[in-house]
Amino acid sequence: QQQVKQSPQSLIVQKGGISIINCAYENTAFDYFPWYQQFPGKGPALLIAIRPDVSEKKEGRFTISFNKSAKQFSLHIMDSQPGDSATYFCAASYHEKLTFGTGTRLTIIP
Amino acid sequence: NAGVTQTPKFRILKIGQSMTLQCAQDMNHNYMYWYRQDPGMGLKLIYYSVGAGITDKGEVPNGYNVSRSTTEDFPLRLELAAPSQTSVYFCASSHSRTGVTEAFFGQGTRLTVV
């Protein structure tokens, strides 16, 4: 049973464009929704996170949009740069246990 | 500022061998986790610990064991290694704060079972 579904599996975006990654969850008890960024050969690192009582959170070029009624949340990367090329994981947390999506490999092309 | 340190970084095991993956954190975090990462599958929780002396199973615990004798260390033991355990293993830690789980990950251990 996959509790957090992530799409797309891979994404190619031109430099300067908007990258959008979507996630959907099933367990309404989840109370914290982070996004992690992972570069090859490295461990995931927290990028941005949101609580379910907020519909949007923005940090620089990264924005999380959260739709509690639809049980969906998404990551938007504005003005995408080659340095943003990485694998992105959405996650959901309950009682300090993180459940991860399957990941999106993002490639930013010139 | 070491954060979460995993050793070894790479290891090749023969089927049936056993080994221990080491994990240590210096942030005084009470929560620690072991995940495995397989291509296209995301990260799956193997075991976790909410403090010294307390461990619990995650989503995929079969074939693994853990112990937590100190706050800093959380080793993962593989008994009777099988090819299905070929994966990249990540240890993580977090500080318990209500509604916030910022997990800090180590650099991973790439394990191949042949």
Side-chain angles (χ1 to χ4, degrees), chain A residues 3-4 18 26 70 86 95 98:
Chain A
Q3 293 197 58
V4 179
I18 302 173
E26 298 170 6
H95 282 178
L98 284 167

Side-chain angles (χ1 to χ4, degrees), chain B residues 10-55:
Chain B
F10 303 93
R11 183 72 186 267
I12 299 175
L13 275 183
K14 293 184 178 179
I15 294 172
Q17 287 185 321
S18 60
M19 75 164 294
T20 299
L21 281 66
Q22 301 291 344
C23 176
Q25 54 95 5
D26 62 0
M27 297 172 282
N28 201 32
H29 286 167
N30 48 346
Y31 283 76
M32 294 189 75
Y33 315 83
W34 274 105
Y35 287 90
R36 60 177 287 171
Q37 183 176 26
D38 301 299
M41 299 297 290
L43 293 102
K44 301 290 187 183
L45 182 64
I46 305 171
Y47 271 96
Y48 68 102
S49 170
V50 303
I54 306 170
T55 62

